[in-house]
Amino acid sequence: MPKISVVVLNFNGKEHLRKCLKSLQKQTFGDFEVIVSDNNSKDGSQEMVRKNFPKYKLLANENNYGVSEGYNRGVKVAKGRYVVTMANDMQFDKNWIKEAIKPFSEKDVAVVTTYIKNRDEGYYKGEEVFGFSMDLVGNPVTYHQPGRKYVFGGNGLLFDRKKIGEAYDDAYFYAGDEIYLAWQTWMRGYKVVQTNEAKLLHFGRVSVDASNVNTLVEFHAEKDKYLNLFIFYSFGTLLKVLPLIITNILVTIAYATLRGRLFVRIKAYTWLLTNIPWIIRKRRAMQKLRKRKESDIMNLLTYRNPYNNVIAAILFKLYCKILRIPVSG
C-alpha cells in the first residue's frame, strides 16, 4: 500500500497534464501512486496518459463532474493514507512530496498546503503564494510574503484521510472546494499549515478561457462561494455578517448588469434560494463536527479583500470592530 496517493484532475489540458505527470516521475520520494481523474476530455488527454504514463491509473469519467466530484472519484480508489489533490496545471519540484509530508509529524496537522510560484506569462502573472486567508464574504485572500503558519485554503494540498474522511462535497463544481476542506478541518480541531519548502510551479486557468470565464464556471463560482458561509459560520456570526453578504450581492448585481452578466448571478442566487432545505441539512451536519470555538476560527479570517481595495478594507475593519468580530489583518 503506498503511503501517498496523488490525484490529478484534468479536463482538456493535455499538454499541461503531460508536464505535470513528468514532474511526478522525478520525485525523490518513492512511496506514492498517481491517479488521473479525467472529466471526459476531448483533446486526447486520456490517450496520452495511456500511452506515455502506463503505470499511472486513469479514471475516464463519462462526464465533466467538476472539481470536487472529480477529486472524490479519484480519492475513492486511492490506497494511500495521505492524499494529494492537484490541478493539471501544476508542476512539482522534485522534492515536493518529500517536503510536503513532513508537517504531518505534528499530531494536530490534517492538511498541508505548499508554496506556489505562478508562471510569469500565465494568468496570475508571476505572483508567489505563501498561503491563503478568506475575507468575510467568502473570497480567498492570497499572502504574497511568508510569515503566517496557518492557511484557510490552498491550491496544491495534501490531507490525512484518516483525520478528514471525505474531504470534498460533490455540490462544489468549480470553486470553494479548498475553503470547504480547510474550514471543516479547523472546525474538527485540526490544523491547516503551509510549508514553503515544498514548491509548485503554476500556470493558471488552463481548462477555461481565463479572459472570458464561461457561464457554467461563473455560475458555480458564485454559488459555491456563498455555500461555505451558510454552512460553516455559527448562527451568531452569520447574523453579524449577513448585512455584508447582502451588500456584496447587491454590488455584484450592479456590476454584473453593467457587464451584461446579470442572468448568471441571478441563476446562482436562485440556486441558493431553491436549495435552502439541502443547505440547512448540510449546515447541521457540519456544525456537529465543531470542536473549536468560533472566535478561534474567525481569527483566521481577514478584513482585507483580494482586490486590494483600501476603502473597502477600512470599512470592513470598522464594521468588525463595532460588531466585535475577531478577524485578523
Side-chain angles (χ1 to χ4, degrees):
M1 300 290 262
K3 185 174 185 179
I4 294 176
S5 298
V6 181
V7 178
V8 180
L9 185 65
N10 181 66
F11 176 64
N12 291 334
K14 182 175 71 172
E15 294 308 315
H16 289 282
L17 177 63
R18 187 198 305 272
K19 294 175 183 177
C20 176
L21 298 181
K22 280 186 175 181
S23 69
L24 283 168
Q25 289 180 324
K26 300 176 182 178
Q27 292 298 298
T28 55
F29 185 95
D31 190 11
F32 70 97
E33 64 173 349
V34 177
I35 301 162
V36 178
S37 182
D38 184 85
N39 275 337
N40 199 25
S41 294
K42 303 299 183 183
D43 66 342
S45 291
Q46 295 181 16
E47 293 78 7
M48 182 274 293
V49 174
R50 292 190 183 99
K51 178 180 179 180
N52 297 306
F53 303 94
K55 293 184 179 180
Y56 294 167
K57 183 175 182 62
L58 172 66
L59 293 181
N61 300 325
E62 62 272 22
N63 295 302
N64 179 7
Y65 290 110
V67 174
S68 290
E69 187 170 354
Y71 280 145
N72 282 337
R73 285 171 172 262
V75 174
K76 285 178 181 178
V77 301
K79 298 177 180 178
R81 171 176 174 175
Y82 302 99
V83 180
V84 179
T85 50
M86 194 68 62
N88 58 358
D89 58 350
M90 294 288 190
Q91 294 179 41
F92 296 79
D93 175 79
K94 65 179 182 179
N95 294 317
W96 189 88
I97 296 179
K98 177 182 176 182
E99 296 295 335
I101 195 71
K102 288 181 179 179
F104 287 111
S105 61
E106 299 180 30
K107 293 183 179 180
D108 58 351
V109 173
V111 177
V112 176
T113 70
T114 62
Y115 166 89
I116 298 170
K117 172 65 169 71
N118 287 283
R119 292 283 294 268
D120 294 336
E121 69 275 23
Y123 178 80
Y124 296 101
K125 302 187 184 304
E127 70 177 9
E128 295 180 275
V129 179
F130 293 93
F132 292 87
S133 183
M134 187 188 79
D135 70 11
L136 290 170
V137 292
N139 298 305
V141 179
T142 304
Y143 291 112
H144 301 298
Q145 298 293 333
R148 298 202 175 200
K149 296 298 182 182
Y150 61 81
V151 286
F152 212 81
N155 193 354
L157 52 81
L158 179 63
F159 68 89
D160 184 343
R161 67 195 306 184
K162 188 175 181 179
K163 295 174 181 175
I164 297 299
E166 188 169 296
Y168 303 107
D169 190 293
D170 291 351
Y172 291 74
F173 184 89
Y174 175 73
D177 51 294
E178 289 153 346
I179 289 178
Y180 174 89
L181 171 57
W183 208 332
Q184 66 160 303
T185 300
W186 289 108
M187 284 183 64
R188 289 172 184 267
Y190 296 113
K191 290 181 180 179
V192 183
V193 300
Q194 170 95 3
T195 176
N196 295 321
E197 284 69 35
K199 303 179 186 300
L200 290 169
L201 184 63
H202 182 221
F203 191 80
R205 298 200 177 190
V206 301
S207 293
V208 297
D209 182 353
S211 62
N212 182 27
V213 177
N214 64 56
T215 298
L216 181 68
V217 167
E218 193 172 346
F219 159 69
H220 284 291
E222 188 70 3
K223 79 170 179 62
D224 293 348
K225 176 175 70 174
Y226 291 111
L227 263 179
N228 283 324
L229 306 185
F230 297 139
I231 288 170
F232 288 110
Y233 273 143
S234 71
F235 185 71
T237 300
L238 186 58
L239 286 180
K240 291 180 179 179
V241 177
L242 193 57
L244 294 177
I245 295 174
I246 294 173
T247 300
N248 190 68
I249 289 175
L250 293 175
V251 172
T252 300
I253 287 174
Y255 183 65
T257 301
L258 294 174
R259 294 175 54 236
R261 307 291 293 174
L262 178 61
F263 74 98
V264 182
R265 305 297 171 150
I266 295 299
K267 182 180 177 182
Y269 306 141
T270 301
W271 188 96
L272 293 169
L273 290 172
T274 55
N275 284 274
I276 287 177
W278 177 85
I279 293 173
I280 291 174
R281 291 194 300 271
K282 182 68 177 179
R283 172 183 172 79
R284 287 173 179 168
M286 298 312 293
Q287 292 297 322
K288 287 181 180 179
L289 300 176
R290 185 180 294 277
K291 294 183 179 180
R292 196 185 298 273
K293 294 188 299 183
E294 177 77 347
S295 58
D296 292 339
I297 296 176
M298 293 304 295
N299 278 316
L300 305 175
L301 274 59
T302 179
Y303 58 80
R304 301 180 186 276
N305 58 81
Y307 317 108
N308 296 318
N309 188 310
V310 177
I311 295 176
I314 293 173
L315 291 175
F316 269 52
K317 184 177 182 180
L318 181 62
Y319 185 91
C320 292
K321 187 174 182 179
I322 293 173
L323 271 69
R324 297 183 179 181
I325 302 174
V327 298
S328 62

